[in-house]
Each structure stands twice: as C-alpha cells, then as structure tokens.
C-alpha cells in the first residue's frame, strides 16, 4: 500500500514517523494511525444509514490507516437496546456494511468491525434483563441475569455468526470489545465476576469466557485477517477499576487471549502516556506487547488539542513517537479529535495547526 504523505517536503515534522506504511498483524496499512471506535447513533433499526459510508471514508481519505467501527452489536436480543446503534446481522445490515467497507477500501484504507455486547449496561426493555457473569447489582443499575452455561453457548454462537457476517461484508479485521465494563470485561473484573465454575476465580478463569469468544470468532473469520481484542483496566462507571493488579495477573489474562487466537491487542487507557503499574514507565499497550509478543494499539487522549502536536513532554507527539520508535507499541488510535476533524492527519502532516479544532464535548453531537 502506498503511503499518502511520502512525497511531502515537510517530513521533519514530529508526526512524520507515524505516517509511513506499516504491516500490522499481517495487514498492510498506509499509516500507524487508527480511528478508535465511537458510538455515533446513525443506524436506525440497527442498519447503518447511507451517510455512514461517507463518514468513515473521509477518515480513510485523510491518512487513517485502520478504521475501527463504532461498537456493533452481535445479533443476540440481550446485546443492546438503542434503536440507532448498528448490528452485525445478515440482511439489510450486512448489505449496508458492505457499502461502508467498499467506500473505505476505495479511499485506500482498511476497516475492522468492533463486535460488542453491552452486558449490564443494557436497559431492561422488552422484558429482558441484562446478561452478566454473576447478576451482581452495581450501584445505580437494575438487577441482571446471571448467565448459565446454556446462555454462554448461545452467546458464543451469536459472536460466531457476527464474524461470518463481517467476513462476508469484506471487513479486513474484527475487534472484540472486552473493555470498559461491558459484558466480556465484566467477566474479567473480579467485582462483577463472582462465579465459582470454570469462568470465574483466578485471572486465567476469568479470561476463559472472553477467550472462548476469541476462539468462536477466529474459527469463523478468514485466517489471513486479524482478530483484535480491546481491553482496559478502567470502566465507564469506575475509573479506578482493575482487571489485573500486577503485570503477572495481566500476563495470565492476555496469554489466554493469545492462546485462543488473538492476532493483536488494543489497550485502552484514559491517558496513553501514563504507566500501567508502579515501578515501570511502560503503558498498558507496552505491557501487553512485552508480555505476549503480539502487536498492540495504544489509545487514550491522543491529540485532543493542538498543543499535542508541539514537541513537549510524554503526553505530546514527541513522547508518543519516542515510544513507537522504542517498539513499546505499534499503532496509535485517535478518537474524539476525529469527530470534528476528519482531516486531522492531513493537517498534522502539513503542520497546519490552525486548521485543527480542539476537541469539545459538543463535537459528540456532530456528524461530519
């Protein structure tokens, strides 16, 4: 794949090392930049609207090497409740996703589908309680249904079917959402996983259900296309939560993912530059790569203001590039800054800081 910016005269800009082509888990990309998944509510009835294809294409046209879609619900009744969040199901949704994939490919980009189940965050509509590992009632949340072994089998088939649909739609990769306190992450988190069977207890056993999802997806998705797992310590409702208190516990979890067939890991932090554990400067993505040897993506408050593009401390572009150059992680995901700035990479590559709009919360209500 040809890099978009190789002929630019301003290759000495700090961001330049991130603009070169790279191969990630066997997938050739135009740059090291990833678009992080962000729910956009433009899929009535679970079917991506026509404008969704253009939305993702614009980011690919401006140098994002890998698009990761917003979270897409697997086709199970308990996966989610909002009517405008997309699903990965056969029929109209699959056809619409094919249009999205074709538009991204036409722009020279690659695209991964993020497969998602809300878990306890699903509202109890349609007479269905949310599915959770142990039925733990979290503060401010309604009662939930503790999953049985039969439920787990049913869930695995839903993920397998979603992988089949994603493959037919032409996605270059899939990402399994096992972060931020949603269902798969609830199995990883000791607070919500109180099970005493093979899916609870030690870090390895808490990882068993997400790993079974990895195996189910891997078995149905083409072997030459990556299966990525997104994970985190923090939860949307508990920033101080941890699935692993030590690198050894993280190793136990991530090794189970790797053995199940994960091709790469997407380590979500609130701030990408912060150390994951005391006593080491390594980030969560850095630990993931060191422990498993798998390629990794970092994400967390990258580029939210123009000041990021001015050389500075560890939270700046220079600190980010230093970590990439050292091999700490491989790809860099941009999230909220892309909501209002689809051409962020183009402007950053040209040093056009004045063309970039600093992120504001109101941008989440826009669709450019």
């Amino acid at each position: 794949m040809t890099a978009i910016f190789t002929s630019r005269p301003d290759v000495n800009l700090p961001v330049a090392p991130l603009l070169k082509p790279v191969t990630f888990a066997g997938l050739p990309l135009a740059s090291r930049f990833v678009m992080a998944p962000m729910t956009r509510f433009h899929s009535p009835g679970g079917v991506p609207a026509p404008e969704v294809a253009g939305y993702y294409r614009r980011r690919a046209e401006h140098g994002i090497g890998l698009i990761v879609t917003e979270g897409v619900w697997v086709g199970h009744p308990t996966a989610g409740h909002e009517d405008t969040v997309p699903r990965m199901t056969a029929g109209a949704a699959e056809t619409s996703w094919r249009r999205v994939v074709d538009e991204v490919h036409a722009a020279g980009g690659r695209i991964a589908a993020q497969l998602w189940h809300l878990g306890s965050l699903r509202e109890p509509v349609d007479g269905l309680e949310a599915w959770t590992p142990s039925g733990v009632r979290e503060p401010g949340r309604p009662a939930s249904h503790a999953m049985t072994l039969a439920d787990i089998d049913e869930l695995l088939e839903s993920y397998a079917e979603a992988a089949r649909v994603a493959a037919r739609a032409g996605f270059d990769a899939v990402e399994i959402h096992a972060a931020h306190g949603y269902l798969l992450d609830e199995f990883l988190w000791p607070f919500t996983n109180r099970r005493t069977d093979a899916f609870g207890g030690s870090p390895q056993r808490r990882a068993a259900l997400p790993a079974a999802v990895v195996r189910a997806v891997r078995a149905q998705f083409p072997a030459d296309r990556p299966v990525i797992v997104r994970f985190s310590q923090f939860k949307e409702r508990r920033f101080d939560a941890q699935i692993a208190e030590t690198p050894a516990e993280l190793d136990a979890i991530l090794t189970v993912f790797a053995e199940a067939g994960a091709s790469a890991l997407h380590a979500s932090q609130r701030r990408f530059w912060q150390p994951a554990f005391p006593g080491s400067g390594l980030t969560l993505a850095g630990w993931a790569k060191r422990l498993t040897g798998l390629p990794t993506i970092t994400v967390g408050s990258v580029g939210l203001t123009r000041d990021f593009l001015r050389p500075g401390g560890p939270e700046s572009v220079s600190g980010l590039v230093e970590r990439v150059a050292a091999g700490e992680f491989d790809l860099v995901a941009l999230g909220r800054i892309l909501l209002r700035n689809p051409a962020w990479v183009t402007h950053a590559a040209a040093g056009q800081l004045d063309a970039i709009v600093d992120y504001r919360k109101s941008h989440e209500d826009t669709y450019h």
Side-chain angles (χ1 to χ4, degrees), residues 20-150:
K20 299 176 182 178
V22 63
T23 297
F24 177 80
L27 188 63
L29 305 176
S31 77
R32 291 185 185 268
F33 284 113
V34 176
M35 180 178 182
M38 294 174 285
T39 302
R40 306 303 291 130
F41 301 109
H42 275 255
S43 299
V47 178
E51 63 266 23
V52 173
Y55 173 82
Y56 286 120
R57 176 173 179 149
R58 282 188 288 280
R59 277 74 184 167
E61 287 174 336
H62 285 285
I64 296 294
L66 177 64
I67 304 284
V68 181
T69 69
E70 60 209 283
V72 184
W73 288 332
V74 297
H76 192 274
T78 64
H81 58 275
E82 290 103 338
D83 184 59
T84 54
V85 171
R87 290 187 179 270
M88 191 60 66
T89 50
E94 179 181 337
T95 299
S96 187
W97 279 123
R98 165 55 75 176
R99 287 195 292 269
V100 173
V101 171
D102 288 346
E103 288 295 315
V104 169
H105 286 171
R110 304 286 189 176
I111 184 166
Q114 190 192 67
L115 306 182
W116 189 26
H117 188 295
L118 280 181
S120 68
L121 273 293
R122 184 192 188 274
E123 296 295 334
V125 296
D126 303 325
L128 290 173
E129 287 185 323
W131 278 16
T132 60
S134 305
V136 173
R137 185 189 287 272
E138 295 183 60
R141 301 300 306 165
S144 60
H145 167 69
M147 292 174 64
T148 66
L149 295 181

